[in-house]
Structures are given as structure tokens and as C-alpha cells.
Amino acid sequence: MTIHQTSTAGLDGVSAAVTMLSHVDGEAGELIIAGSRVDDLAATTSFEGVVARLWSAAGAATLDEAEVRVKLAEARLHAFRRLAAILPATDGLSIVDGFRAAVAAIGPQDGIAPEAMSVGAMPVLAAALVRRAAGQAAVAPDASLGHAADTLKMLRGEAATGAEAKALDAYLVTVSDHGMNASTFAARVVASTQADLFMVVTAAYCALSGPLHGGAPGPVLDMLDAIGTSADIAPWVDAALARGDRLMGFGHRIYKVRDPRADVLKRAVDALGGDKADLGLTAEVEAYAREALAKAKPGRRLDTNVEFYTAILLDALKIPRNAFTPIFAAGRSAGWTAHAIEQQRTGRLLRPTSVYAGPMPA
Ligand code: ACO
């Protein structure tokens, strides 16, 4: 028996927490966040609204959407004031790596709750890094805007359209929480040591960054670029699967049917209208990949996951692909902070055991 073949290698089916925050039904293809289906939430609630629900459900003070809107706006302003001190730590790093250093440099702020500072700082840091990479100065937050609209303004230096802000809002809501995914588990482990929320979100971001988790959407676009034309779909996908490569944006540990978030994000792309809604090659690649995976991995039930349409949506919003993972973190930080609060309220250190498979002393 090799270590990776043991049944516990991926902690499949192990419950690591009892939570009020979200529920993933992999057979029904359903995601419930704080009592509502993800598609309903994305259609009716802003990011601030879902943050209010998550923090309230976690047992922090009960907050509403308007209160969270004020708190996140204040946090964005404070994070912006700290940029001059933070950005030098990111010198020479890619946006994904620089974001890790920048998140690690965020700390407590008088008068701002740590969960608000952690979530509010994320888009400020991401936007500053994107602009810095393009040789542009950071753009100050606009506290009169919602979190999604301000994120786009800080990224672009000019206001986004209402439809674009709505599309990013739908994205942030959709990825706000998702059961015991790897980065949320990392968040809960760190929180269980009673480390503070800034430690928690730094660790969670590190876990998110890998291609098997939140690092996938950039490579989805790379795949679509590499395929290029309809005629090349079949040969490209077949060759990738024959090599044993994983197709980015497909497959999921929990979902055995289509990830419900994929459809929410596809609808958000459609709602943007114009040429952005023309999915042409994307839809053809998706259809062929699903068929090819069914043939190559019979019985594995591999379907489209959230990252496939994340890539299309964030690209349509003109967010550079090397910033997709930090933008994902901006959304998921809602769940990380809520889970950390919930975990700390249990007061219990997460400390599992391992099965020793090495030699014993003679
Ligand atoms: N392309 C090709 N083959 C795949 C893919 C894929 N996207 N996903 C799984 N497989 C294969 C595995 O290689 C394995 O093959 P085998 O049985 O011949 O060894 C089989 O399908 C079963 O895989 P699982 O072990 O059930 O998959 P696991 O739960 O470990 O992985 C994961 C889930 C990591 C998401 C995987 O599907 C993957 O790597 N997908 C591509 C990367 C990706 O899209 N990541 C984003 C995930 S969504 C999120 O985290 C927000």
C-alpha cells in the first residue's frame, strides 16, 4: 500500500465541522449558502448582503446589508491608505504571489472589525497589484459604491457599467462560500489555533492558489487560447487526455453532476450581452470536453465546474487572467472569515491523527 492509495489520503467523506454557513449536495448539484440557493442569492443579493448573512450565521454580531456596505467601504479606504507601506513587499513578484505578500501585510485597524478589514482589503490589494504590473498608479476606493462596482473602478481607473458591476457582484456572491473546500478547511485549521483572522486569510489564500482549487480559471483561458479554432477542439482535448493531463474547469471532488455555480456564472455572462455573450468556441469546447471526459474516465462523472465560467466571466469584465485567483479570494474571503469566526466559537483545536506506515525500530 502506498501512502496516496490509503482511503484517507484526500479526507473524502470526512466531516470536519458542523456549520451554519453552506451546504453542498454533490448528487443534486445544489449549493445552499446561509439558507438560500446560490442561484437565488446571486439574482437577489449583493456581495454585502451575502457577507451580512454569513457573518451573522457564524455568530458574529447580527448585521444587515447596509451595515456591511459601510464596513467594507471603510475597510477599503483604510487598506488604500496602507498601500504605500505594503506594496514594496510585492516587488518582483507575480500578481498571484504579490497578493500573498500583500494579504500577509494587512493587519488590525483601530475601529474596524478584523473580518471587515480582511474582506474589504482584498480588492484594494488586487487592483493595486494589477495596475502596478501595468505601470499605473493605484486608484482610491469610492466609498459611495458597492464592493463589486468599486472593485472594477479600482481595477480600471474608471467606473464600470451597471451591468458589469452586477455581473461581478453575482460572481462574488456565487463564490462566497462552498462547504469544506480546501482553502476553507485551511482557514478553519488556522482559526482553531486561535490565530487571528489576518493569519487565517493568508493561509486560506495560499491553499486557494493551486491549480486544483482557485488557480484553475487562468489556465482555462490558456486552454481556450491553445485550442484556438473549432477544428482543433477534438485533437487538442484528445491529446491532452491521452497524455493524462487534467482539463481545467472540469471535475469536482463533491459534485458528480454539473456544478450549479457554472450556470449562475454563464447566466451572468449572458446578461452582459453584446459580443461578450457570444460563447461560440467556449460552448463547443465545453460540450466536447464533457463528452471526451465521459469516454476517457467512464464512471467518474466529470462535469463542468465553477472555474470554467469564472474564466469567461472575469475575462469579459476585462480582468487580467493573472489576477483571477486574487479576485476569487476577494469573494471567498467572505466564507473564510465566517468559518474562522464559527470555528473559534467552538473553542476546539483541530488536531487530527495520522496512520504511521513507516518502519518501526528493531
Ligand atoms: N480532467 C481530466 N481528468 C480528470 C479531471 C479533469 N479535469 N478531473 C478528474 N480527472 C480524473 C482523475 O485523474 C482521476 O482519474 P483516474 O481515476 O484515472 O486516476 C479521475 O478523474 C477521478 O478523479 P477524482 O480523484 O475523483 O478527482 P478529485 O476529487 O481528486 O479532483 C479536482 C477534483 C481536483 C477538481 C479535479 O477534477 C481536477 O483536477 N480538475 C481540474 C482542475 C480544476 O478545474 N480545478 C478547479 C476545481 S473547482 C474549485 O476548486 C473552485
Side-chain angles (χ1 to χ4, degrees):
M1 176 173 74
T2 61
I3 287 171
H4 74 275
Q5 287 170 328
T6 59
S7 60
T8 54
L11 299 181
D12 306 36
V14 175
S15 288
V18 174
T19 183
M20 302 295 289
L21 300 174
S22 61
H23 171 64
V24 185
D25 184 332
E27 285 296 333
E30 191 165 82
L31 166 60
I32 293 166
I33 301 176
S36 297
R37 285 197 179 81
V38 67
D39 42 343
D40 292 337
L41 267 187
T44 57
T45 313
S46 67
F47 180 64
E48 289 90 331
V50 84
V51 170
R53 286 172 181 231
L54 286 169
W55 287 347
S56 302
T62 303
L63 293 166
D64 64 21
E65 182 173 9
E67 289 164 323
V68 170
R69 188 175 162 120
V70 170
K71 282 177 181 291
L72 293 188
E74 282 172 355
R76 293 197 301 276
L77 291 168
H78 281 293
F80 184 77
R81 286 188 204 112
R82 291 214 205 147
L83 278 179
I86 291 172
L87 287 180
T90 71
D91 278 349
L93 298 176
S94 67
I95 291 175
V96 165
D97 289 350
F99 191 74
R100 179 192 67 230
V103 168
I106 284 288
Q109 176 70 46
D110 283 348
I112 308 263
E115 60 271 24
M117 195 63 199
S118 302
V119 175
M122 296 260 164
V124 179
L125 303 176
L129 287 166
V130 166
R131 293 184 65 80
R132 198 169 192 237
Q136 297 166 324
V139 171
D142 180 343
S144 72
L145 294 177
H147 203 62
D150 203 18
T151 298
L152 288 172
K153 188 174 174 206
M154 289 188 289
L155 280 161
R156 297 176 180 181
E158 58 187 26
T161 65
E164 288 173 323
K166 211 167 162 197
L168 185 64
D169 218 357
Y171 169 74
L172 296 174
V173 168
T174 301
V175 301
S176 60
D177 197 36
H178 197 240
M180 201 46 51
N181 61 88
S183 58
T184 298
F185 183 45
R188 287 193 81 120
V189 170
V190 176
S192 81
T193 71
Q194 300 293 330
D196 69 30
L197 286 196
F198 305 104
M199 300 287 185
V200 166
V201 295
T202 305
Y205 173 70
C206 292
L208 182 78
S209 66
L212 300 191
H213 191 8
V220 167
L221 285 190
D222 296 340
M223 173 177 77
L224 293 172
D225 286 350
I227 292 173
T229 67
S230 298
D232 291 315
I233 296 173
W236 194 97
V237 169
D238 292 349
L241 291 177
R243 282 194 304 271
D245 291 355
R246 290 190 175 208
L247 301 181
M248 292 293 126
F250 296 90
H252 199 276
R253 175 64 59 84
I254 306 293
Y255 291 120
K256 297 303 166 205
V257 296
R258 191 177 170 82
D259 183 334
R261 299 169 298 173
D263 285 328
V264 177
L265 299 185
K266 190 166 188 262
R267 278 197 291 278
V269 176
D270 287 343
L272 281 173
D275 59 345
K276 290 164 189 156
D278 177 10
L279 290 173
L281 182 75
T282 305
E284 287 178 50
V285 170
E286 185 191 5
Y288 187 81
R290 292 171 76 191
E291 269 176 40
L293 284 166
K295 276 191 213 137
K297 304 281 174 187
R300 290 299 195 182
R301 301 168 70 193
L302 304 171
D303 212 322
T304 316
N305 67 42
V306 66
E307 300 292 40
F308 192 76
Y309 281 101
T310 288
I312 308 307
L313 179 61
L314 298 187
D315 188 50
L317 292 172
K318 302 190 214 69
I319 296 172
R321 69 184 72 179
N322 52 7
F324 286 179
T325 305
I327 295 297
F328 188 173
R332 184 56 59 82
S333 59
W336 293 337
T337 49
H339 276 272
I341 293 165
E342 192 179 62
Q343 179 65 38
Q344 288 181 337
R345 283 167 60 89
T346 70
R348 189 79 183 151
L349 174 71
L350 284 172
R351 203 303 184 191
T353 56
S354 48
V355 176
Y356 178 63
M360 295 301 272

